[in-house]
Amino acid sequence: MEGYDLLVVGSANADLVIGVQRRPAAGETVLGSDLVTHPGGKGGNQAVAAARLGARTALLARIGDDAHGRLLLDTQRAAGVDTVGVLVGGAPTGVALITVDPSGDNSIVVSPGANARLTPGDIHAASALLAAATVVSLQLEIPLETVAATVRAVGPGTRVVLNPSPPALLPSDVLAACDPLVANEHEARYLLADHPASEDADPAAWATALLARGSRSVVITLGAAGALVADRRGHVHIPSEPVDAVDTTGAGDAFTGALAWRLGVGDDLESAVRFAVRVGAVAVTRPGAQQSFPTAAEVTAPGE
């Protein structure tokens, strides 16, 4: 089997998107735009983001034998992702219900569907795919036991990147494998709910506490403010250039896919995050998730 810069193990969803003037309060109904269907899911998004940048990428996921599943397969292949690890059947394709307000902020509810049927047995059956990858990237839209099985199956030469979204408490050996753990403010505070750092306003405090809990390195994403990179040697803030945000859907996945790819081709963590911040900044200036992801030429700074 050919080698991959990146293997993404995770979810593949159909994103059902509605634009709203404001998100409804509890018990309230608001009118929205026409419904638009896009390919999505954190795993699918990360794979497309990396492949569009030029990464040798494969996806290990499960989809339904339905129209949404065929849409996802077609878009993965069009982006250059190897779909040899995409399993079909067992349940309908997962769906994400997304509302986007005029500022570009979104709210998302996910119905996992086939994603919930990706099992540790599927991971064990894909051992050759895991062995062929320099970096394995994971999220938590698939069962936690499957995430843990993946981490335990990777070889010592494979780097693990994990985005704990939606947040869940991680087994100690999974947290210890993260290099880096990529979390936003909400996710970091969730993982530190029983720690005093969860009440701190300083992202560096969250990163320090997560390192103390075992993660090899930590990246805290800060939206328009960029990201914080931390490891045992210290931390550094990577700012983002100001942009006019249109839609933040998928921007975090674009960031993580770009980061994981750059680690897979040999960048150090800080350099990889600097590149990923630029990718995320471009993605928020365009509507949708996968269709907003840039090519390498669109994010390469002069002289690079």
Side-chain angles (χ1 to χ4, degrees):
M1 180 174 290
E2 66 177 297
Y4 300 100
D5 303 321
L6 175 63
L7 169 64
V8 180
V9 181
S11 59
N13 294 325
D15 288 349
L16 309 184
V17 184
I18 300 176
V20 294
Q21 286 301 306
R22 59 184 178 83
R23 284 169 283 179
E28 182 183 20
T29 299
V30 300
L31 293 176
S33 68
D34 291 341
L35 177 71
V36 179
T37 302
H38 298 298
K42 288 187 173 296
N45 286 348
Q46 289 183 15
V48 167
R52 192 165 291 167
L53 290 165
R56 295 170 299 165
T57 309
L59 175 64
L60 176 53
R62 186 174 284 278
I63 59 175
D65 184 12
D66 50 33
H68 286 155
R70 289 186 285 276
L71 168 67
L72 298 180
L73 273 177
D74 288 346
T75 54
Q76 290 289 318
R77 290 166 177 163
V81 177
D82 190 336
T83 59
V84 66
V86 177
L87 307 171
V88 180
T93 299
V95 172
L97 309 176
I98 303 173
T99 58
V100 182
D101 68 20
S103 71
D105 287 333
N106 61 56
S107 296
I108 305 174
V109 178
V110 175
S111 174
N115 295 305
R117 276 71 170 183
L118 188 67
T119 68
D122 294 330
I123 301 304
H124 297 319
S127 58
L129 198 58
L130 288 167
T134 303
V135 174
V136 172
S137 184
L138 299 134
Q139 328 77 40
L140 301 185
E141 289 183 336
I142 58 175
L144 184 57
E145 64 178 3
T146 304
V147 172
T150 304
V151 169
R152 293 162 188 160
V154 299
T158 300
R159 190 164 187 163
V160 173
V161 176
L162 190 149
N163 171 216
S165 180
L169 297 180
L170 301 172
S172 58
D173 62 333
V174 172
L175 185 61
C178 297
D179 193 15
L181 177 77
V182 181
N184 63 19
E185 175 181 354
H186 171 66
E187 294 151 4
R189 288 181 183 273
Y190 184 96
L191 294 176
L192 296 169
D194 61 344
H195 192 287
S198 66
E199 301 301 321
D200 201 306
D202 184 3
W206 312 332
T208 299
L210 290 168
L211 288 169
R213 291 210 157 167
S215 182
R216 297 184 187 184
S217 59
V218 175
V219 174
I220 305 293
T221 57
L222 304 171
L228 181 98
V229 183
D231 59 19
R232 308 298 175 190
R233 297 168 296 178
H235 65 268
V236 60
H237 174 235
I238 310 296
S240 178
E241 294 184 5
V243 296
D244 293 325
V246 171
D247 184 356
T248 60
T249 306
D253 301 326
F255 174 96
T256 305
L259 166 63
W261 169 50
R262 294 310 307 173
L263 293 173
V265 295
D267 279 7
D268 62 78
L269 183 58
E270 182 178 337
S271 297
V273 171
R274 289 187 185 279
F275 180 81
V277 164
R278 299 205 301 271
V279 170
V282 173
V284 301
T285 65
R286 304 167 177 175
Q290 292 179 17
Q291 64 269 36
S292 75
F293 298 163
T295 64
E298 293 174 300
V299 293
T300 300
E304 290 189 338

